Structure formats: C-alpha cells, structure tokens
Amino acid sequence: MKQFLSDFSKLIKFRLTFLVVFSASITFLIGSKMQVHRGVIPGIDWMNWLILIAGGFFVTGAANCFNEIIEKDLDKLMTRTKDRPMPAGRMTTGQGLVSGLVMGMFGTWLLGKLNLETGMLSVFSILLYAFAYTPLKRKSPIAVFVGAIPGALPPLIGYLAALGNTTTFYAADYEIAVILFLVQFVWQFPHFWSIAWVLDDDYKKAGFRLLPTTKRDKASAGITFLSTLILIPVSLLPTFYGFGGYYIAGVSLIAGLAFAWLALKLFLNLDLASARKVMFCSFFYLPVVQLVLLFDFLTK
C-alpha cells in the first residue's frame, strides 16, 4: 500500500496538483464572496467548493498522467524522474492510460456540474498541457509560454465555478477572473525559468529546451529578471480595478520586489545558488499573494 500511494503521488505529481487545486479553491472563495456581496447567493456553497477541489484534483492528475505517458522514455534519462512508476517499470503504459482517462472523465464531469464554462476549460487545460506543451518541450523554449496558459487556468476556473449555473452574469466577474489568470500567467515565467536553470543539466539528458535562449547565459537570466519586473504591475491590477485593497497591494509590491531582487542577483552572478533562491521564492510567492488577496477581499 505504501508503494502504491508513493507511485500514485508521483503519477499525478502531487505537489503540483496540490498547488493547482489550492489556487482554484482560493479564487472560488473570492468569487463566492463577490456573489454574496451582490445578494445573488445567501452564502458560500461549501459543497460546490468540495466538488471543485475533487474535480480539479482529478483533472490535474489526468493531465500529469498523460504527460508522463508521453514522456515515459525521456523520464528514464533524467535523475529526478527515473523513479516515476512508468519509467521505473512499476506501472505499464496501459495502466497509466486507463488511470488518466478515468481521472480526466470523472474530474471533467464533476467540474461540469458546477457550470459549462468550468467543464470546458478543464478539458481545454488537459489537451493544451498534455498534447501541446509536452511535445513542445523538446522543440522550442516557446513551450514555457504554451505551458503557462493551462498553468494559469486554475484561478480562472475557480472563480467561474463560483458563479454556478446562474443566468445573471456581470462584466466585472469576467474582469476579475481574467486578472487572476494574468497574475498566475506572468508568475509562471520566472517560476519555470528558475527551475529550468537549476535542472538544466538533467533536462538536457532528455533534450528539453526550456530556458529562454536554451542556455544558462546572461540573456536567459536577463529575461527571467524582466519577467519578475512585469509581474509587479500585473500583481497590482486587483487593487487598481477595485476588488483588492491596500493589504494585497502592499504584500504584492514587497513580494514582487523581493522576487525581482533575487532574479537580479541571478542576472549578476549567473550561478545555481542564485537560481535556487529565485525558484524557492516562486514557490512561496503565489500562495502568499493569493491568501492575502482572499483575506483582503473578506475584510473589505
């Protein structure tokens, strides 16, 4: 049982799946509170929140499963992935495919119960991640841009899920959902590139080309630094558009400046130690900003 749980965790990339579900669940609560403030619903529908978490978990797990099926032979070449269940021989490709299909269909069905947009976006995210981003990783650094789209859909899905099947839609809802998408979309570039810098030697074994110039050079570090600078004004959009207050503005600004400072150090030093600091900062940046945005929204 212990081995099964370990293999299942690796199959669905549990930490990545958790971050995706966390992001969607936070924006669901933000969207729900917006609906409560308008008097559209009496309170947060916690059952729908649980459906979103379960559906998001299975859909993300399915996308990761398909990714591992496609990359099974490549995963054997890399130190960090060779112990995944399929490349290690503990699971067949057929078993992985069945697991992915079951999780994908069940997760999409659950999310579709919330509303049509949520279900359709979940299918789109699986297709884009597994069948566009995955093969592009060996062809061009543009893969990071393509992968950032499904990677930024969870906050959009979470917010739209909160709207339920109501026929009353507000332009502000789509505005908020798009802004939440944009923050996570831009965040992914320094996140991806710092990971790619740290793991570049391992990635090269599989032929992955994820750094902006495909090399650990000044240009790649400079583009990574630029992406952190772009993130700062984007992270202030919630306050600019009035659904975030001063708390989120302050935290986003401080966190963004810290992120940019570490990326600048990478640009100046061009070393693994600096890249690791950018990478670890990216891990903390998103959940902190999203939690503070939720707190800020709830206290308005």
Side-chain angles (χ1 to χ4, degrees), residues 16-56:
L16 174 60
T17 299
F18 176 81
L19 182 62
V20 167
V21 172
F22 174 83
S23 177
S25 65
I26 290 294
T27 56
F28 176 90
L29 296 176
I30 293 173
S32 295
K33 289 302 292 185
M34 178 65 82
Q35 298 296 91
V36 171
H37 291 333
R38 292 190 182 124
V40 177
I41 57 175
I44 295 172
D45 189 328
W46 293 106
M47 180 56 68
N48 281 354
W49 184 66
L50 292 175
I51 289 173
L52 173 70
I53 289 174

Side-chain angles (χ1 to χ4, degrees), residues 231-232 235-236 238 247-257 285 289 292:
L231 181 60
I232 294 172
S235 69
L236 296 176
Y247 291 121
I248 185 59
V251 170
S252 294
L253 184 59
I254 293 170
L257 289 172
Y285 177 93
V289 166
V292 173

Side-chain angles (χ1 to χ4, degrees), residues 81-96:
T81 57
K82 65 183 181 182
D83 193 46
R84 286 173 177 172
M86 281 184 277
R90 294 190 299 273
M91 178 183 289
T92 67
T93 303
Q95 291 171 328

Side-chain angles (χ1 to χ4, degrees), residues 51-52 54-60 62 100-114 118-119 122-123 126:
I51 289 173
L52 173 70
F57 179 87
F58 286 118
V59 164
T60 307
L101 289 172
V102 170
M103 287 190 291
M105 290 188 290
F106 185 56
T108 299
W109 176 75
L110 284 174
L111 294 176
K113 285 171 64 70
L114 300 176
T118 302
S122 69
V123 174
I126 292 175

Side-chain angles (χ1 to χ4, degrees), residues 218-279:
K218 203 79 169 177
S220 283
I223 294 170
T224 303
F225 172 55
L226 179 61
S227 68
T228 62
L229 294 180
I230 295 172
L231 181 60
I232 294 172
V234 171
S235 69
L236 296 176
L237 287 176
T239 302
F240 181 80
Y241 279 90
F243 66 92
Y246 294 115
Y247 291 121
I248 185 59
V251 170
S252 294
L253 184 59
I254 293 170
L257 289 172
F259 206 179
W261 170 250
L262 292 175
L264 176 60
K265 296 279 282 184
L266 172 61
F267 176 70
L268 296 174
N269 298 331
L270 300 178
D271 63 345
L272 282 175
S274 298
R276 286 193 183 93
K277 290 177 182 178
V278 178
M279 180 181 71

Side-chain angles (χ1 to χ4, degrees), residues 124-252:
F124 176 67
S125 68
I126 292 175
L127 295 176
L128 195 60
Y129 181 82
F131 303 109
Y133 164 69
T134 297
L136 274 174
K137 287 162 68 177
R138 300 188 76 206
K139 298 182 181 299
S140 168
I142 196 70
V144 173
F145 178 85
V146 174
I149 298 173
L153 285 176
L156 180 63
I157 290 173
Y159 192 91
L160 293 179
L163 303 182
N165 288 306
T166 179
T167 57
T168 305
F169 294 98
Y170 296 86
D173 284 320
Y174 292 101
E175 186 177 85
I176 294 170
V178 169
I179 289 171
L180 294 172
F181 168 87
L182 282 174
V183 172
Q184 188 149 324
F185 178 76
V186 176
W187 161 81
Q188 285 183 94
F189 291 94
H191 171 68
F192 268 124
W193 287 330
S194 60
I195 292 174
W197 189 289
V198 172
L199 298 176
D200 188 53
D201 293 332
D202 215 19
Y203 280 164
K204 282 179 179 176
K205 298 174 185 176
F208 290 160
R209 306 171 65 187
L210 296 179
L211 284 169
T213 65
T214 73
K215 300 175 183 177
R216 286 176 176 148
D217 58 15
K218 203 79 169 177
S220 283
I223 294 170
T224 303
F225 172 55
L226 179 61
S227 68
T228 62
L229 294 180
I230 295 172
L231 181 60
I232 294 172
V234 171
S235 69
L236 296 176
L237 287 176
T239 302
F240 181 80
Y241 279 90
F243 66 92
Y246 294 115
Y247 291 121
I248 185 59
V251 170
S252 294

